Amino acid sequence: MFPTDVYIQRRKRLRTQVQSGLIFLLGNEESPMNYPDNPYSFRQDSSFLYFFGLDFPGLAGVIDVDEQTECIFGDDLTVDEIIWMGPQPALKDKCAEIGVTQSSPSSKLGDTLKAAIQKGRDIHFLPQYRGDNLLKIEKLLAIPAAEVPNRVSEELIRAVVAQRSIKSEEEISEIELAIDIAYEMQTTAMKMAKPGVYEREVAGAMEGIALAHGGRLSFPTIFSIHGETLHNHYHGNLMKAGDIAVNDSGAESALGYASDITRTIPISGEFSQRQKEIYAIVFDAQRQAIQAVKPGVEFRNVHRLASNCLVSGLKELGLVKGDFDEAVDAGVHTLFFQCGLGHMMGLDVHDMEGLGEDYVGYTDTIKRNPEFGWRSLRLGKELEPGFVITVEPGIYFIPELIDRWKAERKCEAFVNYDAVEKYKDFGGVRIEDDILVTESGRRILGKHIPRTIDEVEEASSA
Ligand code: GLY
Ligand code: MN
């Protein structure tokens, strides 16, 4: 846990950003896999963790903005529970660690909220993404579950997003710890990914590394020789010489901060000429995009810059023709780069996505572009010092998409379909790093993970 004062200050600031009423933050419950006593590994809600720091199930926090009081609602373990789960500090002792002086059994939460409702006070709560918490809100606030999404507090969402978006020194250190774990995962994968090895052996080893460091994966590992599928979670392929595997993976630090790193690995230890050419284009796009990251720059323009780089590289290879700027205007890049260049990262790998992507990545004036490809860009707004973002360009040859565009004669003036046809068996290349926006520019966070063609080949043939 961070020092007590960190949590006190975070809540104090939040209180000043909401006009009046109660701020009601629900922690998570255990989530059963196949029966109640057999749960998935517990993951606390990230906003609850940010403001209250307590990493246990069954808690709720209430901040009274007008009275300037705070209370954690939860229950101490019964002796019956201690028999199975061992002793735990009392709730009031846990609360002391985060500077909350008031705690109360969860049975009292309903009364507190009801009293506020009867007085006509506002109760601010965030969007919910778990069914059990949705039902809790339905019961506690008498709002039908289906209505809950329409009753969330925009004022609270905006306040939480503003605060969590700017990472403090201690948060950046945590993210770097998570990247150190990703370094071990990535370099282990480079060593292990050899002909005759199943993808799942590598994915399993990487998950083991994440767990051994006291955290967990920050998202389900994408490790696949079919890297053209952007989020490929299937790990059943046997790898063979000539394949390349996209390894998009990351871990959480013990305090829950994420890393998210992608490398593309040659299974035989060396890239073919064709693979090198595509890799070099993606590498150059990433390098130029990272270089463009600085305060005041709109990330949608960095996405555009990366798209230009990709298309101009593909033009040199003969896959794209015509003026590359006009080609990108026409959306040609989305035949090869169907997703966004990056996203915010913090306690969530797609930071705060559960609060609403547009609150996190866009503003009232910088709106999401609804066009294919552009609409998957999670972050478009101006960058600020303290943002932690990913920069992850890629080139993906998706046979079904190529067939469709070709049949529709889409962007025919810019795409050399005969040349593109030959890449339908290529797969994909993605390179991703985690970047801190600093006052003067940017810093690539964490230890250097092999990234150039030579570095990746060397690490992969070790
Ligand atoms: N690392 C997975 C993603 O960014 O969507
Ligand atoms: Mn990512």
Side-chain angles (χ1 to χ4, degrees), residues 219 222 231 248-249 260 262 343 349-350 378 390 392 430 432:
F219 59 94
I222 298 158
H231 281 182
D248 183 347
S249 54
D260 182 6
T262 308
H343 50 84
V349 64
H350 292 175
R378 297 183 160 94
T390 67
E392 49 178 310
R430 171 157 70 247
E432 175 178 27

PDB file of all heavy atoms in Angstrom, residues 219 222 231 248-249 260 262 343 349-350 378 390 392 430 432, ligand 1:
ATOM      1  N   PHE A 219      -3.943  -8.296 -18.272  1.00  0.00           N
ATOM      2  CA  PHE A 219      -5.023  -8.623 -19.225  1.00  0.00           C
ATOM      3  C   PHE A 219      -4.677  -9.997 -19.787  1.00  0.00           C
ATOM      4  O   PHE A 219      -3.523 -10.436 -19.689  1.00  0.00           O
ATOM      5  CB  PHE A 219      -5.116  -7.566 -20.343  1.00  0.00           C
ATOM      6  CG  PHE A 219      -3.856  -7.404 -21.146  1.00  0.00           C
ATOM      7  CD1 PHE A 219      -3.644  -8.084 -22.336  1.00  0.00           C
ATOM      8  CD2 PHE A 219      -2.818  -6.578 -20.677  1.00  0.00           C
ATOM      9  CE1 PHE A 219      -2.467  -7.948 -23.059  1.00  0.00           C
ATOM     10  CE2 PHE A 219      -1.639  -6.436 -21.408  1.00  0.00           C
ATOM     11  CZ  PHE A 219      -1.467  -7.127 -22.599  1.00  0.00           C
ATOM     12  N   ILE A 222      -2.015 -12.079 -25.116  1.00  0.00           N
ATOM     13  CA  ILE A 222      -2.148 -12.272 -26.562  1.00  0.00           C
ATOM     14  C   ILE A 222      -0.786 -12.781 -27.013  1.00  0.00           C
ATOM     15  O   ILE A 222       0.191 -12.027 -27.033  1.00  0.00           O
ATOM     16  CB  ILE A 222      -2.484 -10.928 -27.253  1.00  0.00           C
ATOM     17  CG1 ILE A 222      -3.833 -10.389 -26.742  1.00  0.00           C
ATOM     18  CG2 ILE A 222      -2.467 -11.082 -28.771  1.00  0.00           C
ATOM     19  CD1 ILE A 222      -4.002  -8.885 -26.938  1.00  0.00           C
ATOM     20  N   HIS A 231      -6.647  -9.231 -31.047  1.00  0.00           N
ATOM     21  CA  HIS A 231      -6.680  -9.744 -29.667  1.00  0.00           C
ATOM     22  C   HIS A 231      -6.861 -11.258 -29.716  1.00  0.00           C
ATOM     23  O   HIS A 231      -7.923 -11.773 -29.396  1.00  0.00           O
ATOM     24  CB  HIS A 231      -7.805  -9.081 -28.861  1.00  0.00           C
ATOM     25  CG  HIS A 231      -7.438  -7.715 -28.384  1.00  0.00           C
ATOM     26  ND1 HIS A 231      -8.252  -6.937 -27.619  1.00  0.00           N
ATOM     27  CD2 HIS A 231      -6.299  -6.987 -28.546  1.00  0.00           C
ATOM     28  CE1 HIS A 231      -7.648  -5.780 -27.345  1.00  0.00           C
ATOM     29  NE2 HIS A 231      -6.461  -5.788 -27.904  1.00  0.00           N
ATOM     30  N   ASP A 248       1.739  -9.767 -26.960  1.00  0.00           N
ATOM     31  CA  ASP A 248       1.178  -8.566 -26.317  1.00  0.00           C
ATOM     32  C   ASP A 248       0.759  -9.002 -24.926  1.00  0.00           C
ATOM     33  O   ASP A 248      -0.238  -9.724 -24.763  1.00  0.00           O
ATOM     34  CB  ASP A 248      -0.014  -8.080 -27.159  1.00  0.00           C
ATOM     35  CG  ASP A 248      -0.640  -6.794 -26.622  1.00  0.00           C
ATOM     36  OD1 ASP A 248      -0.330  -6.399 -25.491  1.00  0.00           O
ATOM     37  OD2 ASP A 248      -1.460  -6.204 -27.343  1.00  0.00           O
ATOM     38  N   SER A 249       1.556  -8.618 -23.937  1.00  0.00           N
ATOM     39  CA  SER A 249       1.296  -9.137 -22.598  1.00  0.00           C
ATOM     40  C   SER A 249       1.778  -8.136 -21.556  1.00  0.00           C
ATOM     41  O   SER A 249       2.527  -7.207 -21.866  1.00  0.00           O
ATOM     42  CB  SER A 249       2.014 -10.478 -22.412  1.00  0.00           C
ATOM     43  OG  SER A 249       3.386 -10.338 -22.716  1.00  0.00           O
ATOM     44  N   ASP A 260       1.921  -3.035 -20.276  1.00  0.00           N
ATOM     45  CA  ASP A 260       1.308  -3.511 -21.516  1.00  0.00           C
ATOM     46  C   ASP A 260       2.353  -3.352 -22.617  1.00  0.00           C
ATOM     47  O   ASP A 260       2.593  -2.244 -23.096  1.00  0.00           O
ATOM     48  CB  ASP A 260       0.063  -2.655 -21.809  1.00  0.00           C
ATOM     49  CG  ASP A 260      -0.678  -3.104 -23.066  1.00  0.00           C
ATOM     50  OD1 ASP A 260      -0.303  -4.135 -23.638  1.00  0.00           O
ATOM     51  OD2 ASP A 260      -1.641  -2.418 -23.453  1.00  0.00           O
ATOM     52  N   THR A 262       4.269  -4.998 -26.213  1.00  0.00           N
ATOM     53  CA  THR A 262       4.201  -5.958 -27.327  1.00  0.00           C
ATOM     54  C   THR A 262       5.537  -6.031 -28.050  1.00  0.00           C
ATOM     55  O   THR A 262       6.151  -5.005 -28.332  1.00  0.00           O
ATOM     56  CB  THR A 262       3.116  -5.569 -28.352  1.00  0.00           C
ATOM     57  OG1 THR A 262       1.888  -5.369 -27.675  1.00  0.00           O
ATOM     58  CG2 THR A 262       2.928  -6.661 -29.391  1.00  0.00           C
ATOM     59  N   HIS A 343      -3.493   3.955 -25.809  1.00  0.00           N
ATOM     60  CA  HIS A 343      -4.523   4.233 -24.794  1.00  0.00           C
ATOM     61  C   HIS A 343      -3.839   4.648 -23.502  1.00  0.00           C
ATOM     62  O   HIS A 343      -2.634   4.437 -23.333  1.00  0.00           O
ATOM     63  CB  HIS A 343      -5.380   2.979 -24.568  1.00  0.00           C
ATOM     64  CG  HIS A 343      -4.562   1.724 -24.330  1.00  0.00           C
ATOM     65  ND1 HIS A 343      -4.067   1.373 -23.099  1.00  0.00           N
ATOM     66  CD2 HIS A 343      -4.124   0.763 -25.196  1.00  0.00           C
ATOM     67  CE1 HIS A 343      -3.384   0.243 -23.207  1.00  0.00           C
ATOM     68  NE2 HIS A 343      -3.382  -0.142 -24.466  1.00  0.00           N
ATOM     69  N   VAL A 349      -5.381  -1.609 -17.466  1.00  0.00           N
ATOM     70  CA  VAL A 349      -4.512  -1.579 -18.642  1.00  0.00           C
ATOM     71  C   VAL A 349      -5.076  -0.608 -19.690  1.00  0.00           C
ATOM     72  O   VAL A 349      -4.313   0.157 -20.290  1.00  0.00           O
ATOM     73  CB  VAL A 349      -4.232  -2.998 -19.188  1.00  0.00           C
ATOM     74  CG1 VAL A 349      -5.490  -3.684 -19.683  1.00  0.00           C
ATOM     75  CG2 VAL A 349      -3.202  -2.927 -20.301  1.00  0.00           C
ATOM     76  N   HIS A 350      -6.371  -0.619 -19.904  1.00  0.00           N
ATOM     77  CA  HIS A 350      -7.021   0.481 -20.640  1.00  0.00           C
ATOM     78  C   HIS A 350      -7.589   1.363 -19.541  1.00  0.00           C
ATOM     79  O   HIS A 350      -8.699   1.134 -19.055  1.00  0.00           O
ATOM     80  CB  HIS A 350      -8.153  -0.017 -21.540  1.00  0.00           C
ATOM     81  CG  HIS A 350      -7.680  -0.845 -22.698  1.00  0.00           C
ATOM     82  ND1 HIS A 350      -8.533  -1.472 -23.555  1.00  0.00           N
ATOM     83  CD2 HIS A 350      -6.427  -1.119 -23.147  1.00  0.00           C
ATOM     84  CE1 HIS A 350      -7.835  -2.104 -24.486  1.00  0.00           C
ATOM     85  NE2 HIS A 350      -6.556  -1.917 -24.258  1.00  0.00           N
ATOM     86  N   ARG A 378      -8.694   4.891 -28.792  1.00  0.00           N
ATOM     87  CA  ARG A 378      -9.260   5.147 -27.461  1.00  0.00           C
ATOM     88  C   ARG A 378      -8.871   6.501 -26.897  1.00  0.00           C
ATOM     89  O   ARG A 378      -9.478   6.992 -25.960  1.00  0.00           O
ATOM     90  CB  ARG A 378      -8.795   4.048 -26.491  1.00  0.00           C
ATOM     91  CG  ARG A 378      -9.293   2.688 -26.874  1.00  0.00           C
ATOM     92  CD  ARG A 378      -8.886   1.623 -25.877  1.00  0.00           C
ATOM     93  NE  ARG A 378      -9.738   0.481 -26.015  1.00  0.00           N
ATOM     94  CZ  ARG A 378      -9.467  -0.587 -26.769  1.00  0.00           C
ATOM     95  NH1 ARG A 378      -8.342  -0.644 -27.435  1.00  0.00           N
ATOM     96  NH2 ARG A 378     -10.322  -1.578 -26.853  1.00  0.00           N
ATOM     97  N   THR A 390       0.141   4.123 -24.007  1.00  0.00           N
ATOM     98  CA  THR A 390       0.876   3.161 -24.826  1.00  0.00           C
ATOM     99  C   THR A 390       1.021   3.730 -26.234  1.00  0.00           C
ATOM    100  O   THR A 390       0.185   4.514 -26.681  1.00  0.00           O
ATOM    101  CB  THR A 390       0.149   1.802 -24.929  1.00  0.00           C
ATOM    102  OG1 THR A 390      -1.066   1.968 -25.661  1.00  0.00           O
ATOM    103  CG2 THR A 390      -0.165   1.232 -23.547  1.00  0.00           C
ATOM    104  N   GLU A 392       1.499   1.874 -29.798  1.00  0.00           N
ATOM    105  CA  GLU A 392       1.512   0.506 -30.299  1.00  0.00           C
ATOM    106  C   GLU A 392       1.020   0.377 -31.742  1.00  0.00           C
ATOM    107  O   GLU A 392      -0.038  -0.191 -31.998  1.00  0.00           O
ATOM    108  CB  GLU A 392       0.680  -0.389 -29.381  1.00  0.00           C
ATOM    109  CG  GLU A 392      -0.702   0.142 -29.025  1.00  0.00           C
ATOM    110  CD  GLU A 392      -1.483  -0.831 -28.145  1.00  0.00           C
ATOM    111  OE1 GLU A 392      -1.567  -2.010 -28.498  1.00  0.00           O
ATOM    112  OE2 GLU A 392      -2.012  -0.394 -27.104  1.00  0.00           O
ATOM    113  N   ARG A 430       3.293  -6.111 -34.310  1.00  0.00           N
ATOM    114  CA  ARG A 430       2.958  -4.978 -33.435  1.00  0.00           C
ATOM    115  C   ARG A 430       4.155  -4.750 -32.506  1.00  0.00           C
ATOM    116  O   ARG A 430       4.797  -5.713 -32.079  1.00  0.00           O
ATOM    117  CB  ARG A 430       1.692  -5.291 -32.609  1.00  0.00           C
ATOM    118  CG  ARG A 430       1.400  -4.278 -31.522  1.00  0.00           C
ATOM    119  CD  ARG A 430      -0.079  -4.251 -31.091  1.00  0.00           C
ATOM    120  NE  ARG A 430      -0.557  -5.406 -30.350  1.00  0.00           N
ATOM    121  CZ  ARG A 430      -1.444  -6.290 -30.785  1.00  0.00           C
ATOM    122  NH1 ARG A 430      -1.931  -6.196 -32.014  1.00  0.00           N
ATOM    123  NH2 ARG A 430      -1.844  -7.298 -30.029  1.00  0.00           N
ATOM    124  N   GLU A 432       4.922  -2.351 -29.023  1.00  0.00           N
ATOM    125  CA  GLU A 432       4.230  -1.489 -28.049  1.00  0.00           C
ATOM    126  C   GLU A 432       5.110  -1.210 -26.842  1.00  0.00           C
ATOM    127  O   GLU A 432       5.719  -2.115 -26.283  1.00  0.00           O
ATOM    128  CB  GLU A 432       2.954  -2.208 -27.565  1.00  0.00           C
ATOM    129  CG  GLU A 432       2.200  -1.466 -26.465  1.00  0.00           C
ATOM    130  CD  GLU A 432       0.922  -2.192 -26.050  1.00  0.00           C
ATOM    131  OE1 GLU A 432       0.859  -3.437 -26.191  1.00  0.00           O
ATOM    132  OE2 GLU A 432       0.001  -1.515 -25.572  1.00  0.00           O
TER     133      GLU A 432
HETATM  134  N1  GLY B   1      -2.725  -4.972 -24.754  1.00  0.00           N
HETATM  135  C1  GLY B   1      -4.033  -5.094 -25.251  1.00  0.00           C
HETATM  136  C2  GLY B   1      -4.598  -3.804 -25.682  1.00  0.00           C
HETATM  137  O1  GLY B   1      -4.006  -2.767 -25.568  1.00  0.00           O
HETATM  138  O2  GLY B   1      -5.748  -3.765 -26.117  1.00  0.00           O
END
